[in-house]
Amino acid sequence: MSDAPVVDVRNGDCRELIAAMPSDSVDAIVTDPPYELGFMGKGWDASGVAYDVTLWSECLRVLKPGGHLLAFGGTRTFHRMACAIEDAGFEIRDSIYWLYSSGFPKSHNVSKGIDKAAGALAHESKGFTVAGRTDKNLPNPKVKGYVPPEPATDAAKQWRGWGTALKPAHEPIVLARKPLNGTVADNVKRYGVGALNIDGTRVLTDDRFGGGPRGKSGFAAGYDSDGWTAGSDKGRWPANVITDGTTEAEWVRYFFCPKASNGERNAGLDALPATFAPTMNNGIGGKEHDPETATAKQNTHPTVKPLALMRYLVRLVTPPGGTVLEPFAGSGTTLAAAILEGFNAIGCELTEDYLPIIAGRVQWAQQQRANKTESLFPE
Ligand SMILES: C[S@@+](CC[C@H](N)C(=O)[O-])C[C@H]1O[C@@H](n2cnc3c(N)ncnc32)[C@H](O)[C@@H]1O
């Protein structure tokens, strides 16, 4: 591990920054673009950049022939992004679904709405929390919910139990490829890209409860390539589903990765001031911001992806020693993941406020790699 990955972070609009890059110069693009939902009132999440064919055309140009693109999207919006990616000239190869169980439904209670409009609402909903399983080896998040008031009017009684939204439980990821130059064999020999790293992302079927992060995350790194069946003892073939591992069966079949913990988000940021950033339950969505219960954090980015998930994804599409481009760096998770996996990385980020966070996390990842921190690089 003496080869230190090189990271280049650029501040600005990724469309302009990528336009200045040479053609056929990166091996993979792994990106978490805005979902275009105006999340937490952020202007950057409602500019339409994810649907901009110019962006994806530039991504296509800088990728080597046969290079892969992985792009996250929102469940309500990713189809428009996928069309833009395809319109730019990419071949859509698959969609990966990251499943999780910790999302909250943002549903309108129809019955309650009727009573409220009629001035007949008895009281607001009451929240409750049921503690999760106590066995720390088994992930099982707390169950939270709301007990709605009893409907008062006849119309509210009729519409009791009706809502307007499902609980969010997955994030789609578009898997696309720049067209090959010749056959796969020709392309991989000439450009070093064009295929997926199946063996590097196999899912372990044993040692599920082994305690080490690799066993826990199902990370089957560096297996020999003779297990070409879905249930090989070399680990299962990587699937187009990734889970947060909240049911035992999922641990066996799929790579799993829970959402990023606070410790992980803030690692490397001790030098930055901790501030109270609003969360879904504290400061937005009609909820008052309560500094008493809000957690102060150095990493104030609202949409931090888990490192293990991004490590798995960059490993899937990047050849050894390759360069990963992340046009939407955010707090730098993709860049830190690329470093931990030994890849060079180029990141673009529009919002200047996030640059110190990126710098701290990138430096942290470089240190972890140099020190071969055991929890991140198990033997
Ligand atoms: C969904 S967030 C990425 C979060 C990241 N995956 C993480 O774990 O921290 C998208 C980021 O793209 C940035 N962004 C939005 N429009 C951009 C543009 N045109 N060029 C570069 N960055 C942009 C936003 O400032 C935001 O930080």
Side-chain angles (χ1 to χ4, degrees), residues 117-196:
L121 191 65
H123 55 78
E124 286 294 331
S125 306
K126 291 190 181 111
F128 70 86
T129 303
V130 179
R133 241 185 323 224
T134 46
D135 183 344
K136 63 178 174 12
N137 290 317
L138 296 172
N140 184 14
K142 290 175 187 167
V143 178
K144 294 184 179 181
Y146 290 94
V147 183
E150 282 297 312
T153 62
D154 284 347
K157 282 176 190 155
Q158 184 188 341
W159 288 99
R160 181 182 200 163
W162 290 73
T164 57
L166 302 175
K167 174 181 151 68
H170 77 87
E171 286 182 37
I173 306 161
V174 173
L175 173 62
R177 188 171 67 183
K178 180 168 174 172
L180 299 165
N181 192 349
T183 63
V184 173
D186 293 338
N187 201 98
V188 294
K189 281 192 283 176
R190 184 157 172 204
Y191 302 101
V193 294
L196 299 172

Coordinates of all heavy atoms in Angstrom, one line a residue, residues 117-196:
A117 N -59.5 20.8 8.4 CA -60.2 21.8 7.6 C -61.6 22.1 8.2 O -62.1 23.3 8.0 CB -60.4 21.3 6.2
A118 N -62.2 21.2 8.8 CA -63.6 21.4 9.4 C -63.5 22.0 10.8 O -64.5 22.2 11.5 CB -64.3 20.0 9.5
G119 N -62.3 22.2 11.3 CA -62.1 22.8 12.6 C -62.5 21.8 13.7 O -62.8 22.1 14.8
A120 N -62.4 20.5 13.4 CA -62.8 19.4 14.3 C -61.7 18.5 14.8 O -62.0 17.5 15.4 CB -63.9 18.6 13.6
L121 N -60.4 19.0 14.6 CA -59.3 18.1 15.0 C -59.2 18.1 16.5 O -59.0 19.2 17.1 CB -58.0 18.6 14.4 CG -56.8 17.7 14.4 CD1 -57.0 16.4 13.7 CD2 -55.6 18.4 13.9
A122 N -59.2 16.9 17.1 CA -59.2 16.8 18.6 C -57.8 17.2 19.1 O -57.7 18.0 20.0 CB -59.5 15.4 19.0
H123 N -56.8 16.7 18.5 CA -55.4 17.0 18.9 C -54.4 16.5 17.8 O -54.9 15.8 16.9 CB -55.0 16.3 20.2 CG -55.2 14.8 20.2 ND1 -54.3 13.9 19.6 CD2 -56.2 14.0 20.6 CE1 -54.8 12.7 19.7 NE2 -56.0 12.7 20.3
E124 N -53.2 16.9 17.9 CA -52.2 16.5 16.9 C -51.8 15.0 17.1 O -52.2 14.5 18.2 CB -50.9 17.4 17.0 CG -51.1 18.8 16.4 CD -51.4 18.8 14.9 OE1 -50.9 17.8 14.2 OE2 -52.1 19.7 14.4
S125 N -51.1 14.4 16.2 CA -50.7 13.0 16.3 C -49.6 12.9 17.5 O -48.9 13.9 17.7 CB -50.0 12.5 15.0 OG -50.8 12.7 14.0
K126 N -49.6 11.8 18.1 CA -48.6 11.6 19.2 C -47.5 10.6 18.7 O -47.8 9.6 18.2 CB -49.3 11.0 20.4 CG -50.3 12.0 21.1 CD -50.8 11.4 22.4 CE -51.8 12.3 23.1 NZ -53.1 11.8 23.1
G127 N -46.3 11.0 18.9 CA -45.2 10.2 18.5 C -44.9 9.1 19.5 O -45.2 9.2 20.7
F128 N -44.3 8.0 19.0 CA -43.9 6.9 19.9 C -42.6 6.3 19.4 O -42.3 6.4 18.2 CB -44.9 5.9 20.2 CG -45.2 5.0 18.9 CD1 -44.4 3.9 18.7 CD2 -46.2 5.3 18.0 CE1 -44.7 3.1 17.6 CE2 -46.5 4.6 16.9 CZ -45.7 3.4 16.7
T129 N -41.8 5.7 20.2 CA -40.6 5.0 19.8 C -40.5 3.6 20.5 O -40.8 3.6 21.7 CB -39.3 5.8 20.2 OG1 -39.4 7.1 19.6 CG2 -38.1 5.1 19.7
V130 N -40.3 2.6 19.8 CA -40.1 1.2 20.4 C -38.6 0.9 20.2 O -38.1 0.9 19.1 CB -41.0 0.2 19.7 CG1 -40.8 -1.2 20.3 CG2 -42.4 0.6 19.8
A131 N -38.0 0.5 21.3 CA -36.5 0.3 21.2 C -36.3 -0.9 20.3 O -37.1 -1.8 20.2 CB -36.0 0.0 22.6
G132 N -35.1 -1.0 19.7 CA -34.7 -2.1 18.8 C -34.2 -3.3 19.6 O -34.2 -3.3 20.8
R133 N -33.8 -4.3 18.8 CA -33.2 -5.5 19.4 C -31.9 -5.1 20.2 O -31.2 -4.2 19.8 CB -32.8 -6.5 18.3 CG -33.5 -7.8 18.5 CD -33.1 -8.8 17.4 NE -32.8 -8.2 16.1 CZ -33.2 -8.7 15.0 NH1 -33.9 -9.8 15.0 NH2 -32.8 -8.2 13.8
T134 N -31.7 -5.8 21.3 CA -30.5 -5.4 22.1 C -29.3 -6.2 21.7 O -28.2 -5.8 22.0 CB -30.8 -5.8 23.6 OG1 -31.4 -7.1 23.7 CG2 -31.8 -4.7 24.2
D135 N -29.4 -7.3 20.9 CA -28.2 -8.0 20.5 C -27.4 -7.1 19.5 O -27.9 -6.8 18.4 CB -28.6 -9.3 19.8 CG -27.4 -10.1 19.3 OD1 -26.3 -9.5 19.3 OD2 -27.6 -11.3 19.1
K136 N -26.2 -6.7 19.9 CA -25.6 -5.7 19.1 C -25.0 -6.2 17.8 O -24.6 -5.5 16.9 CB -24.4 -5.0 19.9 CG -23.3 -5.9 20.3 CD -22.3 -5.0 21.1 CE -21.2 -5.7 21.7 NZ -20.9 -7.1 21.5
N137 N -25.0 -7.6 17.7 CA -24.5 -8.2 16.4 C -25.6 -8.1 15.3 O -25.3 -8.4 14.2 CB -24.1 -9.6 16.6 CG -22.9 -9.7 17.4 OD1 -21.9 -8.9 17.2 ND2 -22.8 -10.6 18.4
L138 N -26.8 -7.8 15.7 CA -27.9 -7.9 14.7 C -28.5 -6.5 14.6 O -29.0 -5.9 15.5 CB -29.0 -8.8 15.2 CG -28.7 -10.3 15.3 CD1 -29.8 -11.1 15.9 CD2 -28.4 -10.8 13.9
P139 N -28.3 -5.9 13.4 CA -28.9 -4.5 13.2 C -30.4 -4.6 13.2 O -31.0 -5.4 12.6 CB -28.4 -4.1 11.8 CG -28.1 -5.4 11.1 CD -27.7 -6.4 12.2
N140 N -31.0 -3.7 14.0 CA -32.4 -3.7 14.0 C -32.8 -2.3 14.6 O -32.8 -2.1 15.8 CB -33.0 -4.8 14.9 CG -34.5 -4.8 14.9 OD1 -35.1 -4.1 14.1 ND2 -35.1 -5.5 15.9
P141 N -33.0 -1.3 13.8 CA -33.2 0.0 14.3 C -34.5 0.2 15.1 O -35.4 -0.7 15.0 CB -33.4 0.9 13.0 CG -33.8 -0.1 11.9 CD -33.2 -1.4 12.3
K142 N -34.5 1.2 15.9 CA -35.7 1.5 16.7 C -36.9 1.7 15.7 O -36.8 2.1 14.6 CB -35.5 2.9 17.4 CG -34.5 2.8 18.5 CD -34.4 4.3 19.0 CE -33.3 4.4 20.0 NZ -32.9 5.7 20.3
V143 N -38.1 1.4 16.3 CA -39.3 1.6 15.5 C -39.9 2.9 16.0 O -40.1 3.0 17.2 CB -40.3 0.4 15.6 CG1 -41.6 0.7 14.9 CG2 -39.6 -0.9 15.2
K144 N -40.1 3.8 15.1 CA -40.8 5.1 15.5 C -42.1 5.2 14.7 O -42.2 4.7 13.6 CB -39.9 6.2 15.1 CG -38.6 6.3 15.9 CD -37.8 7.5 15.6 CE -36.6 7.5 16.5 NZ -35.8 8.7 16.3
G145 N -43.0 5.9 15.3 CA -44.3 6.1 14.6 C -45.1 7.2 15.2 O -44.7 7.8 16.2
Y146 N -46.3 7.4 14.7 CA -47.2 8.4 15.2 C -48.6 7.8 15.3 O -49.1 7.0 14.5 CB -47.3 9.6 14.3 CG -46.0 10.4 14.2 CD1 -45.0 10.1 13.3 CD2 -45.8 11.4 15.2 CE1 -43.9 10.9 13.3 CE2 -44.7 12.1 15.2 CZ -43.7 11.8 14.3 OH -42.5 12.5 14.3
V147 N -49.2 8.1 16.5 CA -50.6 7.6 16.6 C -51.5 8.8 16.3 O -51.4 9.9 16.9 CB -50.9 7.2 18.1 CG1 -52.3 6.8 18.3 CG2 -49.9 6.2 18.6
P148 N -52.3 8.7 15.2 CA -53.1 9.8 14.8 C -54.3 10.0 15.7 O -54.7 9.1 16.4 CB -53.6 9.4 13.4 CG -53.5 8.0 13.4 CD -52.5 7.5 14.3
P149 N -54.9 11.2 15.7 CA -56.1 11.4 16.6 C -57.2 10.6 16.0 O -57.3 10.3 14.8 CB -56.3 12.9 16.5 CG -55.7 13.3 15.2 CD -54.5 12.4 15.0
E150 N -58.2 10.3 16.9 CA -59.4 9.7 16.4 C -60.2 10.6 15.4 O -60.3 11.8 15.7 CB -60.3 9.4 17.6 CG -59.9 8.2 18.4 CD -60.0 6.9 17.6 OE1 -61.0 6.6 16.9 OE2 -59.0 6.1 17.6
P151 N -60.7 10.1 14.3 CA -61.4 11.0 13.4 C -62.7 11.5 14.1 O -63.4 10.7 14.8 CB -61.7 10.1 12.2 CG -61.3 8.8 12.5 CD -60.5 8.8 13.8
A152 N -63.1 12.8 13.8 CA -64.2 13.3 14.4 C -65.4 13.4 13.5 O -66.5 13.0 13.8 CB -63.9 14.7 15.0
T153 N -65.2 13.9 12.3 CA -66.3 14.1 11.3 C -66.6 12.7 10.6 O -65.7 11.9 10.5 CB -66.0 15.2 10.3 OG1 -64.8 14.8 9.6 CG2 -65.7 16.5 11.0
D154 N -67.8 12.7 9.9 CA -68.1 11.5 9.2 C -67.1 11.2 8.0 O -66.7 10.1 7.7 CB -69.5 11.6 8.6 CG -70.6 11.3 9.7 OD1 -70.1 10.8 10.8 OD2 -71.7 11.7 9.5
A155 N -66.8 12.4 7.3 CA -65.9 12.2 6.2 C -64.5 11.7 6.6 O -63.9 10.9 6.0 CB -65.8 13.6 5.5
A156 N -64.1 12.2 7.8 CA -62.8 11.8 8.3 C -62.8 10.3 8.7 O -61.8 9.6 8.4 CB -62.4 12.6 9.5
K157 N -63.9 9.9 9.2 CA -64.1 8.4 9.5 C -64.0 7.6 8.2 O -63.4 6.5 8.2 CB -65.4 8.2 10.2 CG -65.4 8.6 11.7 CD -66.7 8.5 12.4 CE -66.6 9.1 13.7 NZ -67.9 9.6 14.2
Q158 N -64.6 8.1 7.2 CA -64.7 7.4 5.9 C -63.2 7.3 5.3 O -62.9 6.2 4.7 CB -65.6 8.1 4.9 CG -65.7 7.4 3.6 CD -66.5 8.3 2.6 OE1 -67.1 9.3 3.0 NE2 -66.3 8.0 1.3
W159 N -62.4 8.3 5.5 CA -61.1 8.3 4.9 C -60.0 7.9 5.9 O -58.8 8.1 5.6 CB -60.8 9.7 4.3 CG -61.6 9.9 3.1 CD1 -62.8 10.5 2.9 CD2 -61.3 9.3 1.8 NE1 -63.2 10.4 1.7 CE2 -62.4 9.7 0.9 CE3 -60.3 8.5 1.3 CZ2 -62.4 9.3 -0.4 CZ3 -60.3 8.1 0.0 CH2 -61.4 8.5 -0.9
R160 N -60.4 7.4 7.0 CA -59.4 6.9 8.0 C -58.5 5.8 7.3 O -59.0 4.9 6.7 CB -60.1 6.3 9.2 CG -59.2 5.8 10.2 CD -60.0 5.2 11.4 NE -59.1 5.2 12.6 CZ -59.6 5.0 13.8 NH1 -60.9 4.9 14.0 NH2 -58.8 5.0 14.8
G161 N -57.2 5.9 7.5 CA -56.3 4.9 7.0 C -55.8 5.2 5.6 O -55.1 4.3 5.0
W162 N -56.2 6.3 5.0 CA -55.7 6.7 3.7 C -54.6 7.7 3.8 O -54.7 8.6 4.6 CB -56.8 7.2 2.8 CG -57.8 6.1 2.4 CD1 -58.8 5.6 3.3 CD2 -58.0 5.5 1.2 NE1 -59.5 4.6 2.6 CE2 -59.0 4.5 1.3 CE3 -57.3 5.6 -0.1 CZ2 -59.4 3.7 0.3 CZ3 -57.7 4.7 -1.1 CH2 -58.7 3.8 -0.9
G163 N -53.6 7.6 2.9 CA -52.5 8.5 3.0 C -52.1 8.9 1.5 O -52.8 8.6 0.6
T164 N -50.9 9.5 1.4 CA -50.5 10.0 0.1 C -49.1 9.6 -0.3 O -48.6 9.9 -1.4 CB -50.5 11.5 0.0 OG1 -49.7 12.1 1.1 CG2 -52.0 12.1 0.2
A165 N -48.4 8.8 0.6 CA -47.0 8.5 0.2 C -46.6 7.2 0.9 O -47.1 6.8 2.0 CB -46.0 9.6 0.7
L166 N -45.7 6.4 0.3 CA -45.1 5.2 0.8 C -43.9 5.6 1.7 O -43.3 6.6 1.5 CB -44.7 4.3 -0.3 CG -45.9 3.9 -1.2 CD1 -45.3 3.0 -2.4 CD2 -47.0 3.1 -0.5
K167 N -43.5 4.6 2.5 CA -42.3 4.8 3.3 C -41.1 4.7 2.4 O -41.0 3.7 1.6 CB -42.3 3.7 4.3 CG -41.0 3.6 5.2 CD -41.3 2.4 6.1 CE -40.0 1.7 6.5 NZ -39.1 2.6 7.3
P168 N -40.2 5.6 2.3 CA -39.0 5.4 1.5 C -38.1 4.3 2.0 O -37.7 4.3 3.1 CB -38.3 6.8 1.5 CG -38.7 7.4 2.8 CD -40.1 6.8 3.2
A169 N -37.8 3.4 1.1 CA -37.0 2.2 1.5 C -35.9 1.8 0.5 O -35.3 0.8 0.6 CB -37.9 1.1 1.9
H170 N -35.8 2.6 -0.6 CA -34.7 2.3 -1.5 C -34.2 3.6 -2.2 O -34.9 4.6 -2.3 CB -35.0 1.3 -2.5 CG -35.9 1.7 -3.6 ND1 -35.4 2.3 -4.8 CD2 -37.2 1.7 -3.8 CE1 -36.4 2.6 -5.6 NE2 -37.5 2.3 -5.0
E171 N -32.9 3.5 -2.6 CA -32.4 4.6 -3.5 C -31.9 3.9 -4.7 O -31.1 3.0 -4.6 CB -31.3 5.4 -2.8 CG -31.9 6.3 -1.8 CD -30.9 7.2 -1.1 OE1 -29.9 7.6 -1.7 OE2 -31.1 7.4 0.2
P172 N -32.3 4.3 -5.9 CA -31.9 3.7 -7.1 C -30.5 4.2 -7.6 O -30.2 5.4 -7.3 CB -32.9 4.0 -8.2 CG -33.7 5.2 -7.6 CD -33.4 5.3 -6.2
I173 N -29.7 3.4 -8.2 CA -28.4 3.8 -8.8 C -28.4 3.4 -10.2 O -28.5 2.2 -10.5 CB -27.3 3.2 -8.0 CG1 -27.4 3.4 -6.5 CG2 -25.9 3.6 -8.5 CD1 -26.6 2.5 -5.6
V174 N -28.2 4.3 -11.1 CA -28.2 3.9 -12.6 C -26.7 3.4 -12.9 O -25.8 4.0 -12.5 CB -28.5 5.1 -13.4 CG1 -28.3 4.8 -14.9 CG2 -29.9 5.6 -13.2
L175 N -26.7 2.2 -13.5 CA -25.4 1.7 -14.0 C -25.4 1.8 -15.5 O -26.2 1.2 -16.2 CB -25.3 0.2 -13.6 CG -24.1 -0.5 -14.1 CD1 -22.7 0.1 -13.6 CD2 -24.1 -2.0 -13.7
A176 N -24.4 2.6 -16.0 CA -24.4 2.9 -17.4 C -22.9 2.7 -17.9 O -22.0 2.8 -17.1 CB -24.9 4.3 -17.8
R177 N -22.7 2.6 -19.2 CA -21.4 2.3 -19.7 C -21.2 3.2 -21.0 O -22.1 3.3 -21.9 CB -21.2 0.9 -20.0 CG -19.8 0.5 -20.4 CD -19.5 -1.0 -20.5 NE -20.3 -1.6 -21.6 CZ -20.3 -2.9 -21.8 NH1 -19.7 -3.8 -21.1 NH2 -21.0 -3.4 -22.9
K178 N -20.0 3.8 -21.1 CA -19.7 4.4 -22.4 C -19.5 3.3 -23.5 O -18.9 2.3 -23.2 CB -18.4 5.2 -22.3 CG -17.9 5.9 -23.5 CD -16.8 6.9 -23.2 CE -16.2 7.5 -24.5 NZ -15.3 8.6 -24.2
P179 N -20.1 3.5 -24.7 CA -20.0 2.4 -25.7 C -18.5 1.9 -25.8 O -17.6 2.7 -25.8 CB -20.5 3.1 -26.9 CG -21.4 4.1 -26.5 CD -20.8 4.7 -25.2
L180 N -18.5 0.6 -26.0 CA -17.2 -0.1 -26.2 C -16.6 0.3 -27.5 O -17.3 0.6 -28.5 CB -17.3 -1.6 -26.1 CG -17.9 -2.2 -24.8 CD1 -18.4 -3.6 -25.1 CD2 -16.9 -2.2 -23.8
N181 N -15.3 0.2 -27.6 CA -14.6 0.3 -28.9 C -14.2 -1.2 -29.3 O -13.2 -1.7 -28.8 CB -13.4 1.2 -28.7 CG -12.8 1.6 -30.0 OD1 -13.1 1.0 -31.1 ND2 -11.8 2.5 -30.0
G182 N -15.0 -1.8 -30.1 CA -14.8 -3.2 -30.4 C -15.5 -4.1 -29.4 O -16.4 -3.8 -28.8
T183 N -14.9 -5.3 -29.2 CA -15.5 -6.3 -28.3 C -15.1 -5.9 -26.9 O -14.1 -5.1 -26.7 CB -15.0 -7.7 -28.6 OG1 -13.6 -7.7 -28.4 CG2 -15.3 -8.1 -30.0
V184 N -15.7 -6.6 -25.9 CA -15.3 -6.4 -24.5 C -13.8 -6.7 -24.4 O -13.0 -6.0 -23.7 CB -16.1 -7.3 -23.5 CG1 -15.6 -7.2 -22.1 CG2 -17.6 -6.9 -23.6
A185 N -13.4 -7.9 -25.0 CA -12.0 -8.3 -24.9 C -11.0 -7.2 -25.5 O -10.0 -6.8 -24.9 CB -11.8 -9.6 -25.6
D186 N -11.4 -6.7 -26.7 CA -10.6 -5.7 -27.3 C -10.5 -4.5 -26.4 O -9.4 -3.9 -26.2 CB -11.2 -5.2 -28.6 CG -11.2 -6.2 -29.7 OD1 -10.4 -7.1 -29.6 OD2 -12.1 -6.1 -30.6
N187 N -11.7 -4.1 -25.9 CA -11.8 -2.8 -25.1 C -11.0 -2.9 -23.8 O -10.2 -2.0 -23.5 CB -13.2 -2.5 -24.8 CG -13.5 -1.1 -24.5 OD1 -13.9 -0.3 -25.3 ND2 -13.2 -0.7 -23.2
V188 N -11.1 -4.0 -23.1 CA -10.4 -4.1 -21.8 C -8.9 -4.1 -22.0 O -8.1 -3.5 -21.2 CB -10.8 -5.3 -20.9 CG1 -12.3 -5.2 -20.4 CG2 -10.6 -6.6 -21.6
K189 N -8.5 -4.8 -23.1 CA -7.0 -4.8 -23.3 C -6.5 -3.5 -23.7 O -5.4 -3.0 -23.3 CB -6.7 -5.8 -24.4 CG -6.7 -7.3 -23.9 CD -6.1 -8.3 -24.9 CE -7.1 -8.5 -26.0 NZ -6.6 -9.4 -27.0
R190 N -7.3 -2.7 -24.5 CA -6.8 -1.4 -25.0 C -6.9 -0.3 -24.0 O -6.0 0.5 -23.8 CB -7.6 -1.1 -26.2 CG -7.1 0.2 -26.9 CD -7.5 0.2 -28.4 NE -7.1 1.6 -28.9 CZ -7.7 2.1 -29.9 NH1 -8.6 1.4 -30.6 NH2 -7.3 3.3 -30.4
Y191 N -8.1 -0.3 -23.2 CA -8.3 0.9 -22.3 C -8.3 0.5 -20.9 O -8.4 1.4 -20.0 CB -9.7 1.5 -22.7 CG -9.8 2.0 -24.1 CD1 -10.5 1.2 -25.1 CD2 -9.2 3.2 -24.5 CE1 -10.5 1.7 -26.4 CE2 -9.3 3.6 -25.8 CZ -10.0 2.9 -26.7 OH -10.0 3.3 -28.0
G192 N -8.3 -0.8 -20.5 CA -8.3 -1.2 -19.1 C -9.6 -1.1 -18.4 O -9.7 -1.3 -17.2
V193 N -10.7 -0.8 -19.2 CA -12.0 -0.7 -18.6 C -13.0 -1.4 -19.6 O -12.6 -1.7 -20.7 CB -12.5 0.7 -18.3 CG1 -11.6 1.4 -17.2 CG2 -12.4 1.6 -19.6
G194 N -14.2 -1.6 -19.1 CA -15.3 -2.2 -19.9 C -16.0 -3.3 -19.2 O -17.0 -3.8 -19.7
A195 N -15.4 -3.7 -18.1 CA -16.0 -4.9 -17.4 C -16.2 -4.5 -15.9 O -15.6 -3.5 -15.4 CB -15.1 -6.1 -17.5
L196 N -17.0 -5.3 -15.2 CA -17.2 -5.1 -13.8 C -16.4 -6.0 -13.0 O -16.1 -7.2 -13.4 CB -18.7 -5.4 -13.5 CG -19.7 -4.6 -14.2 CD1 -21.2 -5.1 -14.0 CD2 -19.7 -3.1 -13.8

